[in-house]
Amino acid sequence: MTPLHLYIGKKIQGQFEPKRLNLLLSFQVNCPGCFLYALPTFNQLFKKYKNDLGFLALSTAFENFELNNTNNTILLAKDGTLVGHTKHALAEHGYDKLQIQPEFPIAIDQKMKPFQIEEITKNICLLNPNFNTWSSSDQELLLKRVRNYLTKLPEVSLTFTTNQFRGTPTFTLFNDKNELLHSWFGHVKKNEIIDKINTFKVN
């Protein structure tokens, strides 16, 4: 089963308490879809399943680093302050602040340090299930490509990058062994997530 590599940096609100089943929401503060759809859905799921599942909203960044940062995440959790495209998009819907009061744990995706590059490079390569069966030369070629890719990024959010998420918002259901059970990218209906939760709850 595919591992979920979870790197939690600064804790902004609450405490993530892993359980047998856990739901992760990776979001950016400058991501309108995260706020129009994903965070309200995540809050509803938290209210419904907080006694059964572990919940964590992880503020990440793969672009617009001047907006997708720790300070703006703190302001968001403190009083619902919105920034950038998110602020403009929600204003069109009549909101000047976050339309919900988040009750779930919020943290920052940890940033890669130079000493971690080899670990992260290998973990990304291992997302290919056949990597260990390749020849040494083929393995080294991919390792080199991934290493070069990482060094060219202005900053690396470890959870987002190591798991090669496609973008934000991304919902991820995982177990107490940090095994990825299911993942959704983009606008997903709440009932789709509930169906998967219920499937794994009875297994």
Side-chain angles (χ1 to χ4, degrees):
M1 190 171 287
T2 303
L4 175 74
H5 300 285
L6 183 58
Y7 296 88
I8 301 174
K10 182 180 178 64
K11 297 175 177 63
I12 304 299
Q13 172 177 291
Q15 178 69 36
F16 171 55
E17 298 179 358
K19 296 185 180 179
R20 192 178 72 84
L21 279 179
N22 305 279
L23 188 63
L24 171 71
L25 171 62
S26 299
F27 73 99
Q28 295 186 108
V29 292
N30 190 39
C31 166
C34 296
F35 288 78
L36 289 170
Y37 310 111
L39 283 164
T41 296
F42 195 70
N43 207 44
Q44 292 166 15
L45 291 168
F46 175 77
K47 290 179 178 179
K48 182 178 178 68
Y49 290 108
K50 61 184 177 181
N51 293 325
D52 303 311
L53 271 69
F55 283 83
L56 176 63
L58 198 65
S59 179
T60 191
F62 60 88
E63 59 184 358
N64 305 134
F65 300 106
E66 73 281 4
L67 294 173
N68 295 315
N69 56 42
T70 299
N71 185 58
N72 285 336
T73 305
I74 292 172
L75 293 174
L76 170 72
K78 180 181 178 181
D79 61 10
T81 297
L82 304 172
V83 298
H85 296 305
T86 300
K87 183 176 182 178
H88 294 305
L90 267 70
E92 292 179 358
H93 289 76
Y95 300 109
D96 61 354
K97 296 277 186 179
L98 183 63
Q99 70 269 40
I100 61 167
Q101 177 58 46
E103 303 174 29
F104 42 78
I106 301 172
I108 301 295
D109 197 350
Q110 192 179 124
K111 305 302 180 187
M112 186 179 76
K113 300 289 192 289
F115 72 86
Q116 294 174 294
I117 191 166
E118 293 305 321
E119 170 196 344
I120 304 308
T121 297
K122 185 173 183 180
N123 285 339
I124 291 174
C125 289
L126 287 172
L127 291 176
N128 185 318
N130 298 315
F131 180 76
N132 282 328
T133 67
W134 293 1
S135 67
S136 297
S137 59
D138 286 341
Q139 287 183 4
E140 187 51 44
L141 181 61
L142 182 59
L143 286 164
K144 183 178 179 180
R145 287 177 178 170
V146 173
R147 194 181 297 116
N148 289 340
Y149 156 73
L150 291 173
T151 57
K152 290 177 181 177
L153 294 175
E155 65 178 57
V156 176
S157 297
L158 285 176
T159 302
F160 182 90
T161 305
T162 308
N163 295 289
Q164 290 291 279
F165 290 155
R166 294 164 57 195
T168 54
T170 292
F171 288 89
T172 307
L173 189 65
F174 64 101
N175 63 18
D176 53 359
K177 298 177 182 177
N178 271 28
E179 294 172 331
L180 193 153
L181 303 175
H182 200 83
S183 186
W184 301 262
F185 165 60
H187 184 195
V188 57
K189 293 181 179 178
K190 181 176 66 174
N191 285 341
E192 288 185 38
I193 301 176
I194 289 175
D195 287 345
K196 282 294 180 183
I197 288 173
N198 289 336
T199 296
F200 287 107
K201 276 182 66 180
V202 300
N203 288 341

